[in-house]
Amino acid sequence: MQVITFKAKPKTILGITLAVIGIVVIVFTFLADHGGKAQQTSAEVVSCATEKERAAYLASLGWEFDSTTAKDITIPASFNQVYENYNALQKEHGFDLEPYKGKAATIYTYNITNYKDDKKVIANLLVCDGKLIAADLCDPSAKDGFLTGLTTNDAT
């Protein structure tokens, strides 16, 4: 019988813990950095097939942006905990990614220019077959990072 031991100083344990938390935040930010809309009922369909429609949607919520990027993804056929958490957030805002498991989608990321306190915030619209299926606002910075459902800009 072999016994393996691991002895570490409290500072080492704290460093490892912080590194793991940092990696989880980064992974969650990048995976969740793709989204749709907020405060949508499940019966409401938002067309986001064109750049004009996506820009009009963001503007209807009071958001301004200066650039956009697009990335094609495949929604996993089986969700890990990150996707489960992200989908729970989306369900709070009227979206559900469950019906889109295994399907191709595109994440449109917009640099928001009118977020309070001038933070570097991005909006993600997740579009499948021209339809908005998820949305979020996030600050991907390690210091002040956050992820929330896409809602109206209360500052406007």
Side-chain angles (χ1 to χ4, degrees), residues 4 13-14 18 22 27 31-32 41 47 49-50 71 73 91 97 104 110 113 118-119 123 125 131 136 138 142 148 150:
I4 299 174
I13 293 171
L14 178 63
L18 290 176
V27 167
L31 290 178
T41 65
S47 179
T50 66
K71 180 180 178 185
I73 65 158
K91 285 179 178 180
L97 294 174
Y110 295 84
T113 59
D118 295 328
K119 290 186 177 190
L125 304 179
K131 182 176 96 171
D136 65 76
C138 72
T148 187
L150 183 62

Side-chain angles (χ1 to χ4, degrees), residues 35-37 40-50 53-54 57 75 94-97 99-100 103-108 125-135:
K37 172 200 171 193
Q40 169 190 351
T41 65
S42 54
E44 183 181 351
V45 175
V46 177
S47 179
C48 285
T50 66
E53 288 176 329
R54 292 186 294 274
Y57 175 69
I75 298 169
F95 294 104
D96 186 1
L97 294 174
Y100 301 97
K103 292 191 176 185
T106 303
I107 298 169
Y108 297 95
L125 304 179
L126 185 57
V127 177
C128 183
D129 297 327
K131 182 176 96 171
L132 185 63
I133 62 170

Side-chain angles (χ1 to χ4, degrees), residues 62-79:
W63 297 112
E64 298 171 2
F65 60 93
D66 63 5
S67 65
T68 182
T69 60
K71 180 180 178 185
D72 293 328
I73 65 158
T74 299
I75 298 169
S78 176
F79 287 174

Side-chain angles (χ1 to χ4, degrees), residues 27-28 30-35 71 73-91 96-98 100-103 105 107 126 133-134 147:
V27 167
F28 184 70
F30 282 110
L31 290 178
D33 163 352
H34 322 87
K71 180 180 178 185
I73 65 158
T74 299
I75 298 169
S78 176
F79 287 174
N80 61 16
Q81 191 61 49
V82 172
Y83 264 91
E84 290 290 344
N85 293 342
Y86 185 71
N87 198 38
L89 172 72
Q90 293 306 313
K91 285 179 178 180
D96 186 1
L97 294 174
E98 292 281 337
Y100 301 97
K101 286 183 171 181
K103 292 191 176 185
I107 298 169
L126 185 57
I133 62 170
L147 174 70

Side-chain angles (χ1 to χ4, degrees), residues 38 54-65 110-116 121 123 137 148-156:
R54 292 186 294 274
Y57 175 69
L58 286 173
S60 75
L61 297 174
W63 297 112
E64 298 171 2
F65 60 93
Y110 295 84
N111 292 317
I112 300 298
T113 59
N114 64 332
Y115 190 81
K116 61 186 172 192
V121 174
L137 273 180
T148 187
L150 183 62
T151 59
T152 57
N153 182 358
D154 295 331
T156 58

